Amino acid sequence: DTAVSQTPKYLVTQMGNDKSIKCEQNLGHDTMYWYKQDSKKFLKIMFSYNNKELIINETVPNRFSPKSPDKAHLNLHINSLELGDSAVYFCASSLRSSGNTIYFGEGSWLTVV
Amino acid sequence: RKEVEQDPGPFNVPEGATVAFNCTYSNSASQSFFWYRQDCRKEPKLLMSVYSSGNEDGRFTAQLNRASQYISLLIRDSKLSDSATYLCVVKRGNAGNMLTFGGGTRLMVKP
């Protein structure tokens, strides 16, 4: 059973399109995250939600909009995709916002052409 | 200057070798420290936490030097399966679970 699952795993789309990545965790964790890993392999946090409430919102273009319908789900919607959005997007969760161990999903490889 | 800095490598070592990675962090308010491992095209996974007194987990030893803001990971008796990227991770004490990842050090263990 996958603890943190995200879909789709691979996504190729054209500039200007709108796309969503879905994420679900079955660990019963309170906190979920979206991270972006660029071509240089740096992993950077984008958003963090605790019990559906936004607690971290790093400097991310407002074309990126997270949505958490419940604490087990955190989806990422991206409007007007740009070439620079090509990256691997990792969803993750932790037991609580102060938890030390973060569990990552397998990643979603987004390529914008 | 990046908040967490690592030598990207790659470190190419033969099986059985001992290899050490270093990491420096710039934020003196950092309170928790970790090493994560990321295999090629996979997600990062926690390898071990790093404690002030140093800690060991099998062939892996982690050390922290708060005065120098420096973290290390030592791998003894390298196995082929140790080939991966090792990410140094630092957590600030407040503002939620703000983990800052280094760019990773790539290790390749050769037969």
Side-chain angles (χ1 to χ4, degrees):
Chain A
D1 288 341
T2 305
V4 181
S5 57
Q6 52 184 111
T7 56
K9 183 162 186 175
Y10 299 103
L11 181 58
V12 180
T13 188
Q14 290 188 325
M15 281 174 55
N17 283 350
D18 302 339
K19 291 294 177 187
S20 292
I21 308 172
K22 296 186 176 180
C23 180
E24 175 182 3
Q25 54 94 3
N26 62 5
L27 296 167
H29 288 172
D30 286 345
T31 308
M32 295 186 72
Y33 313 84
W34 277 108
Y35 281 82
K36 177 180 179 181
Q37 188 168 42
D38 60 24
S39 57
K40 295 183 179 178
K41 306 301 182 188
F42 280 94
L43 197 63
K44 293 182 181 175
I45 191 166
M46 300 172 68
F47 303 103
S48 174
Y49 273 70
N50 188 61
N51 277 320
K52 303 192 300 177
E53 299 295 326
L54 180 67
I55 56 172
I56 294 175
N57 182 355
E58 287 296 286
T59 307
V60 176
N62 58 15
R63 297 183 295 104
F64 291 78
S65 52
K67 283 191 171 51
S68 182
D70 54 63
K71 75 174 191 177
H73 295 84
L74 180 61
N75 304 323
L76 183 65
H77 188 76
I78 315 171
N79 289 328
S80 302
L81 279 155
E82 300 177 358
L83 293 177
D85 296 333
S86 297
V88 185
Y89 292 85
F90 286 100
C91 178
S93 73
S94 63
L95 183 59
R96 58 184 68 85
S97 61
S98 58
N100 282 333
T101 304
I102 288 187
Y103 297 85
F104 286 87
E106 293 183 337
S108 294
W109 270 254
L110 172 65
T111 302
V112 182
V113 297
Chain B
R1 182 184 172 189
K2 294 186 177 67
E3 193 166 339
V4 181
E5 296 211 57
Q6 298 180 248
D7 180 344
F11 284 54
N12 295 298
V13 303
E15 269 188 291
T18 295
V19 61
F21 308 136
N22 301 322
C23 164
T24 57
Y25 60 96
S26 60
N27 190 337
S28 59
S30 301
Q31 294 192 1
S32 305
F33 309 89
F34 312 91
W35 285 101
Y36 275 68
R37 170 188 169 137
Q38 186 172 21
D39 291 295
C40 187
R41 302 187 67 78
K42 296 287 189 181
E43 73 275 21
K45 293 183 180 178
L46 179 66
L47 178 66
M48 59 196 301
S49 300
V50 186
Y51 302 118
S52 296
S53 55
N55 49 297
E56 195 173 298
D57 183 359
R59 297 180 294 108
F60 298 83
T61 301
Q63 297 276 355
L64 167 65
N65 183 323
R66 285 187 186 271
S68 303
Q69 295 182 196
Y70 167 101
I71 304 158
S72 66
L73 177 69
L74 182 79
I75 306 175
R76 289 182 300 279
D77 189 22
S78 299
K79 311 290 185 194
L80 295 178
S81 57
D82 294 334
S83 298
T85 297
Y86 291 84
L87 303 168
C88 177
V89 184
V90 169
K91 178 183 167 185
R92 299 178 203 166
N94 54 8
N97 199 356
M98 188 67 187
L99 293 187
T100 301
F101 286 76
T105 297
R106 188 167 170 216
L107 172 66
M108 297 180 68
V109 181
K110 310 277 185 167

